[in-house]
Amino acid sequence: VFGAIAARGEAAAAAVSDRAWLQAMLDAEAALAHALARAGVIEDAEAEAIAAACRAEGFDAAAIGAAAAGSGNPVVPLVEALSAAVDEPAAAHVHQGATSQDILDTAAMLVAGRARAAILADLDGAGAAAARLARAHRDTPMAGRTLLQQAVPVTFGLKAAGWLAGLGEARAGLARVVLAAQLGGAAGTLASLGDTGPRVLAAYAEALGLAEPVLPWHTNRVRPGELASALAVASGAVAKVAQDVVLLAQTEVAEVRESASGGSSTMPHKRNPVAAISALACARQAPGLAATLLGAMAHEHERAAGAWQAEWRALSELLTATGSAAAWLRACLEGLEVDAGRMRANLDLTGGALMAERVAASLAPERGRLDAHRAVTEVLARGGDLREIASPDLLDPAGYLGAAGEFVDRALRAYEEVEDG
Amino acid sequence: VFGAIAARGEAAAAAVSDRAWLQAMLDAEAALAHALARAGVIEDAEAEAIAAACRAEGFDAAAIGAAAAGSGNPVVPLVEALSAAVDEPAAAHVHQGATSQDILDTAAMLVAGRARAAILADLDGAGAAAARLARAHRDTPMAGRTLLQQAVPVTFGLKAAGWLAGLGEARAGLARVVLAAQLGGAAGTLASLGDTGPRVLAAYAEALGLAEPVLPWHTNRVRPGELASALAVASGAVAKVAQDVVLLAQTEVAEVRESASGGSSTMPHKRNPVAAISALACARQAPGLAATLLGAMAHEHERAAGAWQAEWRALSELLTATGSAAAWLRACLEGLEVDAGRMRANLDLTGGALMAERVAASLAPERGRLDAHRAVTEVLARGGDLREIASPDLLDPAGYLGAAGEFVDRALRAYEEVEDG
Amino acid sequence: VFGAIAARGEAAAAAVSDRAWLQAMLDAEAALAHALARAGVIEDAEAEAIAAACRAEGFDAAAIGAAAAGSGNPVVPLVEALSAAVDEPAAAHVHQGATSQDILDTAAMLVAGRARAAILADLDGAGAAAARLARAHRDTPMAGRTLLQQAVPVTFGLKAAGWLAGLGEARAGLARVVLAAQLGGAAGTLASLGDTGPRVLAAYAEALGLAEPVLPWHTNRVRPGELASALAVASGAVAKVAQDVVLLAQTEVAEVRESASGGSSTMPHKRNPVAAISALACARQAPGLAATLLGAMAHEHERAAGAWQAEWRALSELLTATGSAAAWLRACLEGLEVDAGRMRANLDLTGGALMAERVAASLAPERGRLDAHRAVTEVLARGGDLREIASPDLLDPAGYLGAAGEFVDRALRAYEEVEDG
Amino acid sequence: VFGAIAARGEAAAAAVSDRAWLQAMLDAEAALAHALARAGVIEDAEAEAIAAACRAEGFDAAAIGAAAAGSGNPVVPLVEALSAAVDEPAAAHVHQGATSQDILDTAAMLVAGRARAAILADLDGAGAAAARLARAHRDTPMAGRTLLQQAVPVTFGLKAAGWLAGLGEARAGLARVVLAAQLGGAAGTLASLGDTGPRVLAAYAEALGLAEPVLPWHTNRVRPGELASALAVASGAVAKVAQDVVLLAQTEVAEVRESASGGSSTMPHKRNPVAAISALACARQAPGLAATLLGAMAHEHERAAGAWQAEWRALSELLTATGSAAAWLRACLEGLEVDAGRMRANLDLTGGALMAERVAASLAPERGRLDAHRAVTEVLARGGDLREIASPDLLDPAGYLGAAGEFVDRALRAYEEVEDG
């Protein structure tokens, strides 16, 4: 019943479904058969026969899941079912040379790769929306807020440019993670393939479109650890933006609004930033799930007793959570309504206090730094207005934006270079 | 496809299914209707009409889940569907006085309570098996191992008594968590119920069999935090036992074996402790999920924007993981085969080194502590046998068990007292 | 350099200092000596001689810390140093019957107990301040905010009562954790004490003021897990309050202010809620540290190889973080300035939208529920004022507070009962 | 008292000391002064005067730490102290244009960079030791173990090559993290520097040897998130190796031994793998600390209220923990004693069961796959020896190592290429 909230990133969620895992395991078995044929271990016709049977619709995911309990992983029953679905002599070559972990680790990489494509698409969508906002509001002044207190003026464009930068960096980090094929046989030596092992491995990786590892990584979990980290970082980058939207949408601030804000059944006036809130809820799953995966890196000997099996669900959940967070944020930003007038009005809430830094600096040459600081503080402390001691142009927020515009331009340029490259 | 591994605790897993959440939300709505009637706000017949419609089979969980995306939670569409399913005038009183969070928080407590019952049953089963092992092997000597090095003799009974104590303490902690009803209306004042609010709250809690809180706890998340903690502690207690089983089942140790050990498709000799490994894999999910829930305790104002919504999936996962870990461990212990002969043989692996502490102590009165220590070290360092310097009876592990038996008795007595009480 | 921020709870921080750990280990050794004497294993005079030497100022914590690297724990070098500091024949009885873990686990319980006392005191101080605020502002209306949107009126007293309830529940949970002595000898049998073991254990626990466990808990880590959890829950309860303060102190909301708000060197007008922010920063350490401790519960066999040693630093950090969070919150609440006028003004920001629920309900009998809802929405959607369709008294927030006052009274009553009891 | 255990990586620990943080903040202030001079904002002589005062020994870290409580960060009191230590007119230009977060974020990058250098050195040392072991034992057969059960033969060289690969990949990931300077002024616009801001930023980054960011990253925490992740991955890679050492060092396995194994005061025979255990204890801190940092990525607006301040301690702890883990592992591997004879003996423990896969495969052409499997199982099930049905050469583990040697060569080649490049 939480589906649409926790799994908004439909493509990412679909990529980690039972069916998707099943197909990914079958893709690994099919690639293995082709690789065996290419290395001359089996006949091409045998490989074709095996590959032809490797279609998820031919298998009962629930039954395989149930049978998995007996052996501790779903590959054992899947191989049995696949062998039964293939005629001899090809049937005898199903799964040849491989161990369960080869198939499952490879499937995990395929699943992750497919989910990642969906996540990257939504991060890109969110990034494009942030870029549009940065461009459109390059010079829209608003209150900069530090520790949730108004501090000095910034522009909404600069804020959006910061979002863009974070999303772009997180995207690049996620895209950079190398997904590699896994094939090592019972304990990483490919012994049952005699001296054809490395050739089979190379052909297997190529058939799958995955990187060929230097050696089997069955108990070297740097790759899963890096994948988990990059997903958590992406969730964190999404959360930063969503958090800002929620705060800007507060009744008392009201500077942005989601176009599809959620209503309330009892309070007709509510306009809840549902997309941003849901993005936050999804992103909050990530650090704990990443910690589970990072904490499971110490695999014992040639196959872990627990740490490996712990990865499957945590990885699926982490891909779903990150994908949903990205999809929610994209929806949030693509429909974000910005109220520049309210931004301007909020700048004036404090009688010029946001310009205190500038006023103090302008008085300093004449009065000395300490006296200038004191004069400003005195006015503000008694609730006064800085117009008492400063000229109106000094108090214009638009005149105290420093490099905001230039920073926006730099961020947009960097974004466009990546887009073009 | 990981179902049977990650969700072995079928009762716990069923308790957190979409259907179960749906029914729990409907149970809350039905209880609310009854409470409104009891407080005189609505007619008894209206309450009956509402309650009669509160059956999960009458609703489409998937559709409600999909519609949840619009409002940020599934209660809004559920209330719409429920209102449509009830005739007027009762329909107008569906959900009266409540807010979405009232229903969802209450449902979470019901779901947690039902899953907890299943988890406690499996913890009890595992505990009973541990008690049987402790009783049967009260005096079976084996090597005590510290830092994975043989240290001094213990008994398998003492080890099992330690398991029993841990499982029992974790069980008590989980059973102790108070599950309370939630009802506060839009922001915790029950304003729309006028002055009948507290009476409705009391009747609502009673109807649900949940504790009545002093005041609404919508943004006081101590209860969810305590629930998450107790589940993680229970998972930790399970993991300790499963870890010991995996280590004792190692080929080189071989002191225990799971009766239903898993085979391997390619290695006919393998007898993998699948239940213990699966218990570890499930238990490993818990700390990260608990951290997610503990980290989500800072709910803003009168309803959180993200931290609340983050609880739903994490709690479901944590109940499932703990339930599965407990169910796997129960299966593991109920069928555990203990090889007392191998335990005895392993005690002898080191030429009496396990008795070094005792031999050194026995030589001390005569030779002085330091010399005694030195003499023992010298023999062992050159691979000698302590029989060279100690009489055979001094080297009998069964004679150096200290309070092991008494501790087993104490643990069993404490267990039986809880069972009786 | 972060000392005063990350370790504001000076008493808690002092309780986990190197010196404090050293003294706690020595307290354990002294209690062991007394217990041995009481059980007739050694002479009273020997026990006195040992106990007399058990003062931290007699030892070099840094040197012991450095030597700890050789044996993997600080007890080995400490026992050497202590033996050297005691004359024979007593010296031969230093640490008799114990293993390093006995001393370190017991010391951890003493350290935790001392830090807990400090934490409870600060939680109590924060609770007392919350109680005062709840009492003083029982009837001060303010906007209730859900999802950071103004929803319906509440009172500041109700908000403070919610804080009080959370702090009180978390406090009770932390106080409830049982701290027990640890004594089992090399592998939990107390073998080297022959049949006096259990008597020594009982006397040892009594001398330390710690609970006597049913059997040694060296690898049953339910207790450390429960302690970690209770600390994390307390941090979470603190964070909820601090989060609210930070949000209420926003420039645009301005309903509360810390009396000792922090200034800025460059922005003279800033009044940062430093105490609440620091409380949040400290509380944020807790879930990850608790997860480390919960994830380290699976101790192998009779002493863990890594999981045990991982507890020391994480526990010290968690006690410090929770203590600091509590101390910061206490300072925050004890000096909190509440602006009831601003609360009232913020209620009026939305032209009565906060009363939308009430107005819709009042129109419902006459117009029907749907029409009433529609009428209210229509006014608000075009930025109108609900006075157009509702009488002024209907729009008075103070008249729509439901059970707020009663809930405050209930919370205060519960608080006072605990205080009295 | 846990210093030498929890902070073995002395260089890493020193790099995060109070003194080191203080110097890093002063380095940032000095670089700022130079950058201001280079941009023509202040005189060269003023910059020199400021930079000359930026030496940690001139400041009282404890006093600054204590004063930090007032403002919520240590930069405010440090700037005061630094200004006081510099003569006018230079004093007026101390910290010009910067905000506290600029200095602290930049200091964090400097601290991280210095600690990282130490961590990389220890990872390299551990990697070099793993490479030596892989080379020396390229063809040393040992039991491959999956799920802690003997499975098929591998070589110790292959195991060490797997360690090498993991350490190398983790090292590369950590080295890849870009550390960037931070300078944005009060809210990221550098407004008080007028139009010289970007030039000052460029000069500042160059002076510090840090990357120049596209725009200030004060609330874009992708970089800290990536740093935390890379550290946790490195800890995970270390833990895998340490875990294997602890398991191989078990009394019943005894295939490796640390040369500086720790003794026990009461059990003269114990040879504990202290370095590996301590590495595990340190590495276990990492996932939780990384989760804290990943969970703190959602910084509000232009400076976070809590999430930023939460980074300081967690980052220091994570650098220390990872550094200590790496240093312990290096010590462990540099002195690792390998017992090839025992490895050979353990291969024979099971009467040839490790060769079951090969024997079954060899019988298959003649008997059919199922019958072959059955024959092997039958022999092993009754505790027989596979010599009954297989020729001795079929049962030689050294003849069933597949690509083990080639994989070792590939790993060493990849390692040497990195070393050379």
Side-chain angles (χ1 to χ4, degrees):
Chain A
V1 290
F2 307 119
I5 296 165
R8 160 102 190 198
E10 287 172 35
V16 304
S17 70
D18 260 21
R19 174 71 173 270
W21 270 99
L22 195 58
Q23 186 57 57
M25 289 188 272
L26 290 164
D27 290 344
E29 295 286 0
L32 174 61
H34 286 307
L36 289 166
R38 198 141 141 222
V41 181
I42 68 173
E43 301 297 320
D44 280 351
E46 291 169 333
E48 292 302 334
I50 293 171
C54 288
R55 310 176 64 146
E57 54 267 38
F59 300 87
D60 179 345
I64 285 168
S71 50
N73 75 64
V75 177
V76 174
L78 177 62
V79 168
E80 269 175 45
L82 178 57
S83 299
V86 174
D87 290 333
E88 290 293 355
H93 299 293
V94 164
H95 194 62
Q96 186 173 343
T99 191
S100 298
Q101 188 171 359
D102 292 332
I103 301 307
L104 208 37
D105 277 357
T106 299
M109 292 299 102
L110 293 173
V111 162
R114 290 158 190 175
R116 175 170 68 173
I119 298 169
L120 292 178
D122 279 328
L123 287 175
D124 285 344
R132 279 194 298 277
L133 291 167
R135 208 173 286 122
H137 293 280
R138 181 187 185 278
D139 302 309
T140 304
M142 72 182 299
R145 297 172 176 98
T146 60
L147 313 175
L148 296 189
Q149 301 292 306
Q150 289 195 6
V152 296
V154 296
T155 61
F156 183 62
L158 181 60
K159 189 186 282 277
W163 297 348
L164 173 62
L167 293 169
E169 289 162 18
R171 188 236 188 270
L174 181 55
R176 198 164 46 223
V177 176
V178 176
L179 303 175
Q182 174 75 288
L183 191 67
T189 62
L190 287 172
S192 73
L193 291 177
D195 55 10
T196 65
R199 258 180 303 146
V200 175
L201 169 57
Y204 174 75
E206 196 191 329
L208 290 159
L210 294 171
E212 181 191 345
V214 171
L215 75 175
W217 49 276
H218 44 152
T219 57
N220 161 16
R221 307 313 275 186
V222 168
R223 258 181 209 93
E226 289 183 337
L227 176 61
S229 299
L231 289 165
V233 168
S235 278
V238 165
K240 189 284 181 272
V241 185
Q243 181 74 68
D244 276 2
V245 169
V246 169
L247 290 170
L248 293 172
Q250 289 176 101
T251 305
E252 297 83 2
V253 178
E255 298 181 356
V256 306
R257 196 159 47 191
E258 290 189 356
S259 55
S261 322
S264 157
S265 56
T266 56
M267 295 172 287
H269 63 293
K270 289 287 296 286
R271 294 206 48 181
N272 298 319
V274 167
I277 288 168
S278 299
L280 281 173
C282 294
R284 272 178 170 276
Q285 314 295 317
L289 292 166
T292 299
L293 287 160
L294 290 165
M297 285 180 64
H299 283 212
E300 296 99 342
H301 292 319
E302 280 69 46
R303 184 163 320 144
W308 173 50
Q309 297 81 356
E311 291 176 359
W312 311 330
R313 186 129 177 177
L315 177 60
S316 290
E317 287 288 313
L318 182 52
L319 290 165
T320 304
T322 304
S324 299
W328 276 114
L329 184 67
R330 177 184 194 161
C332 165
L333 292 186
E334 288 184 343
L336 198 71
E337 298 171 8
V338 179
D339 188 338
R342 183 64 186 251
M343 288 175 177
R344 192 65 191 72
N346 284 340
L347 276 165
D348 294 334
L349 273 184
T350 54
L354 257 84
M355 307 308 294
E357 180 187 68
R358 187 191 206 186
V359 172
S362 76
L363 300 177
E366 189 180 323
R367 306 193 184 190
R369 211 163 44 130
L370 286 182
D371 264 11
H373 199 273
R374 210 172 290 133
V376 168
T377 309
E378 187 272 328
V379 172
L380 294 171
R382 63 171 157 76
D385 192 302
L386 287 180
R387 270 171 294 193
E388 299 173 25
I389 54 171
S391 63
D393 62 299
L394 259 184
L395 293 173
D396 176 18
Y400 195 61
L401 291 169
E406 186 169 340
F407 282 142
V408 173
D409 296 339
R410 285 161 65 133
L412 285 171
R413 228 157 27 228
Y415 170 70
E416 283 149 15
E417 273 163 26
V418 171
E419 288 296 285
D420 294 347
Chain B
V1 290
F2 308 119
I5 295 165
R8 160 102 191 199
E10 287 171 35
V16 305
S17 70
D18 260 22
R19 174 70 173 268
W21 271 99
L22 194 58
Q23 186 58 57
M25 290 188 271
L26 290 164
D27 290 345
E29 295 286 0
L32 174 61
H34 286 308
L36 289 166
R38 200 142 140 221
V41 180
I42 67 174
E43 300 298 320
D44 281 350
E46 291 169 334
E48 291 302 334
I50 293 170
C54 289
R55 310 177 64 147
E57 54 268 38
F59 300 87
D60 179 346
I64 285 169
S71 51
N73 75 63
V75 177
V76 174
L78 177 62
V79 168
E80 268 175 47
L82 178 57
S83 299
V86 175
D87 290 333
E88 290 292 355
H93 299 292
V94 164
H95 194 63
Q96 186 172 344
T99 191
S100 299
Q101 188 171 1
D102 292 331
I103 301 307
L104 206 38
D105 276 357
T106 299
M109 293 298 103
L110 293 173
V111 162
R114 291 160 189 172
R116 175 170 68 174
I119 298 169
L120 292 178
D122 279 328
L123 288 175
D124 285 343
R132 280 194 298 276
L133 291 167
R135 208 174 285 121
H137 293 280
R138 181 187 185 279
D139 303 309
T140 304
M142 72 183 297
R145 296 171 178 99
T146 59
L147 312 175
L148 296 189
Q149 301 291 307
Q150 288 196 6
V152 297
V154 296
T155 61
F156 184 64
L158 181 60
K159 188 185 283 277
W163 297 348
L164 174 61
L167 293 169
E169 289 163 19
R171 188 233 188 272
L174 181 55
R176 199 165 47 224
V177 176
V178 176
L179 303 175
Q182 175 77 286
L183 191 67
T189 63
L190 287 173
S192 72
L193 292 176
D195 55 10
T196 65
R199 258 181 302 146
V200 175
L201 169 58
Y204 174 74
E206 197 191 327
L208 290 159
L210 294 170
E212 182 192 345
V214 171
L215 75 174
W217 48 277
H218 43 154
T219 55
N220 161 15
R221 309 311 278 185
V222 168
R223 260 182 209 93
E226 289 183 338
L227 175 61
S229 298
L231 289 165
V233 168
S235 278
V238 165
K240 189 283 182 275
V241 185
Q243 180 75 66
D244 276 1
V245 169
V246 168
L247 290 170
L248 292 172
Q250 289 176 100
T251 305
E252 296 83 0
V253 178
E255 298 180 358
V256 306
R257 195 159 47 189
E258 290 189 357
S259 56
S261 321
S264 156
S265 57
T266 55
M267 295 172 286
H269 64 294
K270 288 288 296 285
R271 294 206 49 183
N272 299 319
V274 168
I277 288 167
S278 300
L280 282 173
C282 294
R284 274 180 170 276
Q285 314 296 317
L289 292 166
T292 298
L293 287 160
L294 289 165
M297 286 180 64
H299 283 211
E300 296 100 343
H301 292 320
E302 281 68 47
R303 184 163 319 144
W308 173 51
Q309 296 83 353
E311 292 175 359
W312 310 332
R313 186 129 177 179
L315 177 60
S316 290
E317 288 287 315
L318 182 52
L319 289 165
T320 303
T322 304
S324 297
W328 276 113
L329 184 67
R330 178 185 194 161
C332 165
L333 291 186
E334 287 184 345
L336 199 71
E337 299 171 9
V338 179
D339 187 337
R342 183 65 186 253
M343 287 175 176
R344 191 66 189 76
N346 284 341
L347 277 165
D348 294 335
L349 273 185
T350 54
L354 257 83
M355 306 307 293
E357 180 186 69
R358 187 189 207 186
V359 172
S362 76
L363 300 178
E366 191 181 322
R367 306 194 183 189
R369 213 161 45 130
L370 286 181
D371 265 12
H373 200 273
R374 211 170 291 135
V376 168
T377 309
E378 186 272 330
V379 171
L380 294 172
R382 62 172 159 75
D385 192 303
L386 287 180
R387 271 171 292 194
E388 299 172 25
I389 55 172
S391 64
D393 63 299
L394 259 185
L395 293 173
D396 176 17
Y400 195 61
L401 292 168
E406 186 170 341
F407 282 140
V408 172
D409 297 340
R410 287 161 64 134
L412 286 170
R413 235 167 10 238
Y415 170 70
E416 282 150 14
E417 273 164 27
V418 171
E419 289 295 285
D420 294 348
Chain C
V1 291
F2 308 119
I5 296 167
R8 159 102 191 199
E10 287 172 34
V16 305
S17 70
D18 260 22
R19 173 71 172 269
W21 271 99
L22 194 58
Q23 186 58 57
M25 290 188 271
L26 289 165
D27 290 345
E29 294 287 358
L32 174 61
H34 286 307
L36 290 166
R38 197 140 143 224
V41 180
I42 67 174
E43 301 297 319
D44 280 350
E46 291 169 334
E48 292 302 332
I50 293 169
C54 289
R55 309 176 64 147
E57 54 268 38
F59 300 88
D60 178 345
I64 286 168
S71 51
N73 76 64
V75 177
V76 174
L78 177 62
V79 168
E80 269 175 46
L82 178 58
S83 299
V86 175
D87 291 334
E88 289 293 354
H93 299 294
V94 164
H95 194 63
Q96 186 172 342
T99 191
S100 299
Q101 188 171 1
D102 291 333
I103 301 307
L104 207 38
D105 276 357
T106 299
M109 293 298 102
L110 293 173
V111 162
R114 291 160 190 173
R116 176 170 67 174
I119 298 168
L120 293 177
D122 278 329
L123 288 174
D124 285 344
R132 278 194 300 276
L133 291 167
R135 208 173 285 120
H137 293 282
R138 181 188 186 279
D139 303 309
T140 304
M142 72 183 299
R145 295 171 177 99
T146 59
L147 313 176
L148 296 188
Q149 301 291 306
Q150 289 195 5
V152 296
V154 296
T155 61
F156 183 62
L158 181 61
K159 188 185 283 275
W163 296 348
L164 173 62
L167 293 170
E169 290 163 18
R171 188 232 188 272
L174 181 56
R176 198 164 47 222
V177 176
V178 176
L179 303 176
Q182 174 77 287
L183 191 67
T189 63
L190 286 173
S192 72
L193 291 177
D195 56 11
T196 65
R199 260 180 302 145
V200 174
L201 169 57
Y204 173 74
E206 197 191 329
L208 290 160
L210 295 170
E212 181 191 344
V214 170
L215 75 173
W217 48 277
H218 44 153
T219 56
N220 161 14
R221 308 311 278 185
V222 168
R223 260 181 208 91
E226 289 183 337
L227 176 61
S229 299
L231 289 165
V233 168
S235 278
V238 165
K240 190 280 182 275
V241 186
Q243 180 74 67
D244 276 1
V245 169
V246 168
L247 290 171
L248 293 173
Q250 289 176 99
T251 305
E252 296 84 1
V253 179
E255 298 181 358
V256 305
R257 194 158 49 189
E258 290 189 358
S259 57
S261 321
S264 157
S265 57
T266 55
M267 294 172 286
H269 64 294
K270 288 288 295 285
R271 293 207 50 183
N272 299 320
V274 167
I277 288 168
S278 300
L280 281 173
C282 294
R284 273 179 171 276
Q285 314 296 316
L289 292 166
T292 299
L293 287 160
L294 290 165
M297 285 180 64
H299 282 212
E300 296 99 342
H301 292 320
E302 280 70 45
R303 184 164 319 144
W308 173 50
Q309 297 81 356
E311 292 176 359
W312 311 331
R313 187 130 178 177
L315 178 59
S316 289
E317 287 288 313
L318 182 52
L319 289 165
T320 303
T322 305
S324 298
W328 276 113
L329 184 67
R330 178 185 193 160
C332 165
L333 291 186
E334 287 184 345
L336 199 70
E337 298 171 10
V338 178
D339 188 339
R342 182 64 185 251
M343 287 175 176
R344 192 66 190 75
N346 284 340
L347 276 166
D348 294 335
L349 274 184
T350 52
L354 258 83
M355 307 307 293
E357 180 187 67
R358 188 191 206 186
V359 172
S362 76
L363 300 177
E366 191 180 321
R367 306 194 184 189
R369 212 161 45 129
L370 285 181
D371 265 12
H373 200 274
R374 211 171 292 135
V376 168
T377 308
E378 187 271 329
V379 172
L380 293 171
R382 61 171 158 77
D385 192 301
L386 287 181
R387 269 172 294 195
E388 300 172 24
I389 54 172
S391 64
D393 63 299
L394 258 185
L395 293 172
D396 176 17
Y400 195 61
L401 292 169
E406 186 169 340
F407 282 141
V408 172
D409 297 340
R410 286 162 65 134
L412 286 170
R413 230 159 24 232
Y415 170 70
E416 282 149 16
E417 273 163 27
V418 171
E419 288 295 286
D420 294 349
Chain D
V1 291
F2 307 120
I5 296 165
R8 159 103 191 197
E10 288 172 33
V16 304
S17 69
D18 260 22
R19 173 72 172 268
W21 270 99
L22 194 58
Q23 186 58 57
M25 289 188 272
L26 290 164
D27 290 345
E29 295 287 0
L32 174 60
H34 285 309
L36 289 166
R38 198 141 142 222
V41 180
I42 67 173
E43 301 296 320
D44 281 350
E46 290 169 335
E48 291 302 333
I50 292 170
C54 288
R55 310 176 64 148
E57 55 268 37
F59 299 87
D60 178 346
I64 286 168
S71 49
N73 76 64
V75 177
V76 174
L78 178 63
V79 168
E80 269 175 45
L82 178 57
S83 299
V86 174
D87 291 333
E88 290 292 356
H93 299 294
V94 164
H95 195 61
Q96 186 172 343
T99 190
S100 299
Q101 189 171 359
D102 292 332
I103 301 306
L104 208 38
D105 276 358
T106 299
M109 292 299 102
L110 293 173
V111 161
R114 290 159 190 174
R116 175 170 66 174
I119 298 168
L120 293 177
D122 278 329
L123 288 175
D124 286 343
R132 279 194 299 276
L133 291 167
R135 209 173 284 122
H137 293 281
R138 181 188 186 278
D139 302 309
T140 303
M142 72 183 298
R145 296 171 177 99
T146 59
L147 312 175
L148 296 189
Q149 302 290 308
Q150 289 196 5
V152 296
V154 296
T155 61
F156 184 62
L158 182 60
K159 189 185 282 276
W163 296 349
L164 174 62
L167 292 170
E169 289 163 18
R171 187 233 188 272
L174 181 55
R176 198 164 47 223
V177 176
V178 176
L179 303 176
Q182 174 76 285
L183 191 67
T189 62
L190 287 173
S192 73
L193 292 177
D195 55 10
T196 66
R199 258 179 303 145
V200 174
L201 169 58
Y204 174 74
E206 196 192 329
L208 290 160
L210 295 171
E212 181 191 344
V214 170
L215 75 174
W217 48 277
H218 44 154
T219 56
N220 161 15
R221 309 312 277 186
V222 168
R223 259 182 209 92
E226 289 183 337
L227 176 61
S229 298
L231 289 165
V233 168
S235 278
V238 165
K240 189 285 181 273
V241 185
Q243 180 74 67
D244 275 1
V245 169
V246 168
L247 290 170
L248 293 173
Q250 288 176 102
T251 304
E252 297 83 0
V253 178
E255 299 180 357
V256 305
R257 195 160 47 192
E258 290 189 358
S259 55
S261 321
S264 156
S265 57
T266 56
M267 294 172 288
H269 63 293
K270 288 288 294 288
R271 294 206 50 183
N272 299 319
V274 168
I277 289 168
S278 300
L280 282 173
C282 294
R284 273 179 170 275
Q285 314 296 315
L289 293 166
T292 299
L293 287 160
L294 289 165
M297 284 180 65
H299 282 212
E300 296 99 344
H301 293 318
E302 279 70 46
R303 185 163 319 143
W308 173 51
Q309 296 82 355
E311 291 176 358
W312 311 331
R313 186 128 177 180
L315 177 60
S316 290
E317 288 287 313
L318 182 52
L319 290 165
T320 304
T322 304
S324 298
W328 276 114
L329 183 67
R330 177 185 194 161
C332 165
L333 291 187
E334 287 183 345
L336 198 71
E337 298 171 8
V338 178
D339 188 338
R342 183 66 186 252
M343 287 175 176
R344 192 67 190 73
N346 284 341
L347 276 166
D348 294 334
L349 273 185
T350 53
L354 257 83
M355 307 307 293
E357 181 187 67
R358 187 190 206 185
V359 172
S362 76
L363 300 177
E366 190 180 324
R367 305 193 185 191
R369 213 162 44 129
L370 286 182
D371 265 12
H373 200 274
R374 211 172 290 134
V376 169
T377 309
E378 187 271 329
V379 172
L380 293 172
R382 62 171 158 78
D385 192 302
L386 286 181
R387 270 171 293 195
E388 300 172 24
I389 55 172
S391 63
D393 63 299
L394 259 184
L395 293 172
D396 176 17
Y400 196 60
L401 293 169
E406 186 169 341
F407 281 141
V408 172
D409 296 339
R410 284 161 66 134
L412 286 171
R413 229 159 23 231
Y415 170 70
E416 282 149 15
E417 273 164 27
V418 171
E419 287 296 285
D420 294 348

